[in-house]
Amino acid sequence: MVLSHATSDSDGSVHSTFASRYVRTSLPRFKMPENSMPKEAAYQIINDELMLDGNPRLNLASFVTTWMEPECDKLIMSSINKNYVDMDEYPVTTELQNRCVNMIAHLFNAPLGETETAIGVGTVGSSEAIMLAGLAFKRTWQNKRKAEGKPVDKPNIVTGANVQVCWEKFARYFEVELKEVKLSEGYYVMDPQKAVDMVDENTICVAAILGSTLNGEFEDVKLLNDLLVEKNKETGWDTPIHVDAASGGFIAPFLYPELEWDFRLPLVKSINVSGHKYGLVYAGIGWVIWRNKENLPEDLIFHINYLGADQPTFTLNFSKGSSQIIAQYYQLIRLGHEGYTNVMENCRENMIVLKQGLEKTERFNIVSKDEGVPLVAFSLKDSSCHTEFEISDMLRRYGWIVPAYTMPPDAQHITVLRVVIREDFSRTLAERLVSDIEKVMHELDELPSRVIQKISLGEEKSEANSDNLMVTVKKSDIDIQKQRDIIKGWKKFVSDRKNKTNGIC
């Protein structure tokens, strides 16, 4: 009898990824590998490494949408291979973008007739939108100054010190001076009066923030407009306003419809908003809307005959995906005014639940406001023993990503924690977060304070701690036996914690 054996190439068909040779070596980091690998192995080893990323749903640092309905996910995947710039080949996608621009413009009360087309464009995010708006202001200012025979080499923008870093990028990349209104303790947004005082003939615009990333507060655009109107009358200037509504643009129209911050104010010439924040779309979509055609200089618009038709374009890039534009249109027609209102009201209610839960602990000062972006920014009432950074670090053990940061000048001595309430942050999660924060505070209370830790080391020196308080420790100040007891207790505490956590998966 002849015995035969079937053989197979295990590398060509991976029956068990974790038994293959592909998991026995490190992934390439700098050079492309010489040989191919099976798709199953490539997927599995990359997926395994990505498990070490944080959970997006528990990333309370981010304003960006982390959940969408399955039906929208299908639309995104079905259009992920469409390049938006091919307008002649994908005319329906172009039409959907134009519909979004018009819907958002009407939402912001642009002065349009029933059949008049709005002026705006979809962008990768609010950063690109701000770049485009800034360029439009700079070019408008330059054109006017040239016509008057005046120099155009020293443009500036007036903002608060609380602006997002993309404003600093615009100023640096496009050679515009950024004049920042400093903050102060207890007042973490731009003061309109101080901003108007900084305006001069070279100011291309004043940028107001509808929803500061620091504490969610809306700046007073109405007061800024009124003060600037008076200054323009006195000086003969025509200094306009741009509203950075990246976070608040899809909140204010639904929660605070009577609040005047948009095109109802005559000096507001352009507005940007992030569709991927409270526009409820995954990352990668923003919008910039102009009041009318006169506010977007024609010489910034390119007309390109690329693939068969005239394509007017005003962007910083060329190719980009169509998925997020389609997803934005889905959300606008799926939810409508009623749906967006319900989502924003729910976010606000969960924000109040979290805020009240933190207040009950009597350990925190609430820095954020009830009116604004639904978030809770809070700081320790007493940070002499432990800091907000320690709380942030320990919350990671429970899966929560809660950022701790210091305020900009002149409030940099204030440190806060911030929790952003998104659509997918439920009442149950809000209550659970409060419970986990209480656990963290209890654990911190059991740890030696920063002063005691220094004493236990028996150091004799003076130094500034993170609160800028001078702490002086001398060996002679403490009985030697007390030092030993403290060190012994500390070592036992650490040892006990190690023993308790060794068996936890």
Side-chain angles (χ1 to χ4, degrees):
M1 179 182 295
V2 178
L3 298 178
S4 61
H5 299 278
T7 61
S8 64
D9 184 355
S10 62
D11 289 341
S13 177
V14 179
H15 298 292
S16 174
T17 298
F18 296 109
S20 73
R21 65 183 177 90
Y22 302 104
V23 298
R24 298 176 187 175
T25 57
S26 299
L27 283 174
R29 285 175 170 79
F30 304 107
K31 292 184 178 180
M32 185 184 298
E34 292 295 328
N35 300 316
S36 304
M37 69 170 64
K39 59 182 183 296
E40 298 88 352
Y43 168 81
Q44 189 65 61
I45 57 181
I46 295 174
N47 184 67
D48 289 352
E49 191 165 12
L50 288 172
M51 290 191 301
L52 298 175
D53 267 348
N55 184 338
R57 293 281 302 277
L58 298 181
N59 178 10
L60 306 182
S62 177
F63 293 85
V64 176
T65 297
T66 53
W67 178 86
M68 296 188 75
E69 292 176 325
E71 290 76 11
C72 194
D73 288 344
K74 292 178 184 177
L75 284 174
I76 289 173
M77 292 309 300
S78 67
S79 59
I80 202 165
N81 58 351
K82 289 183 182 179
N83 185 358
Y84 173 74
V85 78
D86 298 343
M87 298 180 185
D88 195 49
E89 285 66 30
Y90 306 124
V92 175
T93 301
T94 302
E95 170 64 19
L96 295 189
Q97 188 221 222
N98 295 338
R99 293 179 191 177
C100 289
V101 166
N102 281 277
M103 289 181 182
I104 296 169
H106 281 285
L107 189 66
F108 295 165
N109 294 291
L112 299 169
E114 284 297 322
T115 59
E116 190 176 357
T117 301
I119 305 300
V121 65
T123 60
V124 174
S126 272
S127 293
E128 184 189 5
I130 285 168
M131 302 283 176
L132 298 179
L135 283 171
F137 282 117
K138 182 180 179 181
R139 185 59 57 87
T140 299
W141 175 82
Q142 287 175 327
N143 291 342
K144 182 180 179 182
R145 298 276 292 181
K146 286 177 181 177
E148 297 172 348
K150 297 178 180 178
V152 297
D153 58 332
K154 294 182 179 180
N156 68 69
I157 285 181
V158 176
T159 71
N162 56 313
V163 293
Q164 216 264 356
V165 69
C166 59
W167 283 98
E168 298 176 32
K169 286 185 177 180
F170 168 77
R172 187 180 302 177
Y173 294 168
F174 296 101
E175 299 181 327
V176 176
E177 180 189 0
L178 192 66
K179 299 169 70 173
E180 293 185 342
V181 178
K182 303 302 182 184
L183 309 184
S184 59
E185 185 171 351
Y187 195 87
Y188 304 117
V189 293
M190 180 178 69
D191 184 322
Q193 184 61 65
K194 292 180 180 178
V196 172
D197 290 343
M198 296 175 71
V199 169
D200 58 33
E201 64 177 347
N202 293 319
T203 302
I204 64 175
C205 79
V206 180
I209 312 298
L210 194 78
S212 171
T213 58
L214 299 179
N215 67 346
E217 188 174 352
F218 292 166
E219 292 183 346
D220 194 340
V221 187
K222 175 67 165 62
L223 177 57
L224 175 65
N225 178 87
D226 294 346
L227 293 171
L228 202 50
V229 165
E230 291 302 315
K231 183 155 189 171
N232 285 342
K233 286 180 180 178
E234 294 171 4
T235 60
W237 303 333
D238 189 25
T239 307
I241 296 172
H242 174 83
V243 179
D244 180 355
S247 300
F250 277 110
I251 295 171
F254 305 107
L255 292 185
Y256 316 106
E258 303 304 317
L259 181 67
E260 293 184 55
W261 62 274
D262 52 20
F263 292 120
R264 285 171 288 185
L265 303 175
L267 291 185
V268 174
K269 305 301 182 181
S270 58
I271 300 171
N272 70 276
V273 65
S274 291
H276 59 219
K277 292 182 180 178
Y278 288 93
L280 308 180
V281 178
Y282 294 137
I285 184 66
W287 304 92
V288 56
I289 311 294
W290 284 272
R291 185 181 192 87
N292 51 46
K293 290 182 179 179
E294 289 71 31
N295 299 127
L296 177 56
E298 177 64 30
D299 58 347
L300 289 177
I301 301 173
F302 286 80
H303 294 269
I304 302 171
N305 182 13
Y306 177 49
L307 291 174
D310 177 63
Q311 301 174 12
T313 177
F314 180 37
T315 61
L316 294 181
N317 56 25
F318 199 59
S319 295
K320 67 177 179 181
S322 298
S323 298
Q324 269 69 15
I325 291 172
I326 295 169
Q328 183 72 83
Y329 185 66
Y330 171 90
Q331 292 290 52
L332 291 173
I333 67 168
R334 159 78 175 95
L335 295 174
H337 203 283
E338 176 190 25
Y340 269 96
T341 300
N342 289 337
V343 169
M344 301 311 156
E345 287 178 345
N346 185 58
C347 289
R348 180 173 59 181
E349 290 171 5
N350 287 332
M351 177 266 291
I352 292 172
V353 169
L354 177 60
K355 175 190 170 186
Q356 292 176 343
L358 292 171
E359 287 175 332
K360 287 180 181 178
T361 68
E362 299 183 346
R363 305 289 295 270
F364 301 102
N365 292 314
I366 305 299
V367 177
S368 51
K369 307 293 184 181
D370 289 343
E371 183 176 297
V373 178
L375 61 81
V376 182
F378 54 103
S379 60
L380 284 166
K381 289 183 177 179
D382 179 9
S383 58
S384 60
C385 294
H386 298 285
T387 70
E388 290 83 359
F389 293 100
E390 290 176 274
I391 296 173
S392 175
D393 184 59
M394 293 185 72
L395 281 171
R396 287 263 185 167
R397 291 163 39 198
Y398 294 90
W400 302 108
I401 302 174
V402 178
Y405 53 89
T406 56
M407 291 291 193
D410 285 330
Q412 62 266 35
H413 59 288
I414 305 296
T415 304
V416 300
L417 295 146
R418 187 192 69 198
V419 174
V420 177
I421 311 299
R422 299 189 302 268
E423 177 188 15
D424 56 348
F425 188 78
S426 65
R427 179 71 55 89
T428 300
L429 288 178
E431 294 169 347
R432 181 59 183 265
L433 177 58
V434 172
S435 174
D436 288 343
I437 289 174
E438 289 176 334
K439 292 176 184 176
V440 165
M441 296 308 299
H442 179 70
E443 292 176 19
L444 285 174
D445 288 341
E446 292 183 343
L447 288 172
S449 71
R450 289 172 294 162
V451 175
I452 295 298
Q453 290 178 44
K454 291 171 184 174
I455 292 174
S456 69
L457 295 174
E459 299 174 348
E460 183 178 349
K461 61 181 179 180
S462 295
E463 64 180 73
N465 64 14
S466 62
D467 300 308
N468 294 321
L469 298 175
M470 297 306 296
V471 179
T472 303
V473 180
K474 294 183 179 179
K475 289 183 180 180
S476 58
D477 292 342
I478 300 178
D479 182 81
I480 297 298
Q481 186 59 44
K482 277 191 175 182
Q483 289 189 42
R484 291 173 178 169
D485 291 341
I486 290 171
I487 295 172
K488 182 179 179 181
W490 171 246
K491 288 181 177 179
K492 183 178 184 302
F493 177 82
V494 173
S495 176
D496 290 343
R497 289 186 63 80
K498 284 184 178 178
N499 292 335
K500 288 179 181 178
T501 57
N502 279 344
I504 298 177
C505 296

